[in-house]
Amino acid sequence: MTQSNTVNVQILDKEYCINCPQNERANLEGAARYLDAKMREIRSSGKVIGADRVAVMAALNITHELLHKQNDLDQQTSSTREQVRDLLQRVDNALADDVGGQPG
């Protein structure tokens, strides 16, 4: 008997049946819970009316968070690369000094 590749998730009181590989099931369920929470937060603010508009605002907020985190990660990666280059330069200098100081 084969297992179903569908997952039922609830987002803003609506149920959605989504095809999903078995190994991604937990990720999809987590994403649905996160989206549901964001949409509820936006809806409860009272500033946005209508499920479509709430969904768009949630998508924009989540995308903004993602881009901000990617930017932070890019900056950290760049900083780490600079630190590694600096350390390698120090090692090269130390090795060159050590080899240059040895009697021949």
Side-chain angles (χ1 to χ4, degrees):
M1 189 180 287
T2 61
Q3 289 183 326
S4 173
N5 285 337
T6 60
V7 177
N8 292 327
V9 296
Q10 270 204 310
I11 301 171
L12 214 55
D13 302 324
K14 279 185 133 179
E15 188 165 313
Y16 298 88
C17 185
I18 301 170
N19 284 330
C20 177
Q22 187 67 29
N23 62 335
E24 289 293 322
R25 185 180 197 107
N27 287 335
L28 175 61
E29 290 169 341
R33 282 191 302 273
Y34 188 77
L35 177 58
D36 181 62
K38 283 290 184 186
M39 289 179 70
R40 288 178 185 282
E41 179 183 311
I42 291 167
R43 184 178 68 177
S44 70
S45 75
K47 296 178 183 175
V48 181
I49 298 173
D52 290 350
R53 290 178 184 260
V54 168
V56 169
M57 291 305 296
L60 285 172
N61 286 336
I62 292 168
T63 302
H64 175 74
E65 290 172 8
L66 174 65
L67 293 175
H68 185 70
K69 287 182 180 185
Q70 283 179 334
N71 187 40
D72 286 350
L73 183 59
D74 289 345
Q75 287 177 356
Q76 289 174 359
T77 300
S78 178
S79 176
T80 301
R81 282 189 184 131
E82 286 180 36
Q83 290 173 348
V84 168
R85 274 190 226 119
D86 183 50
L87 288 171
L88 287 173
Q89 185 63 46
R90 288 182 188 185
V91 168
D92 286 345
N93 291 343
L95 289 173
D97 289 347
D98 191 43
V99 169
Q102 293 290 326

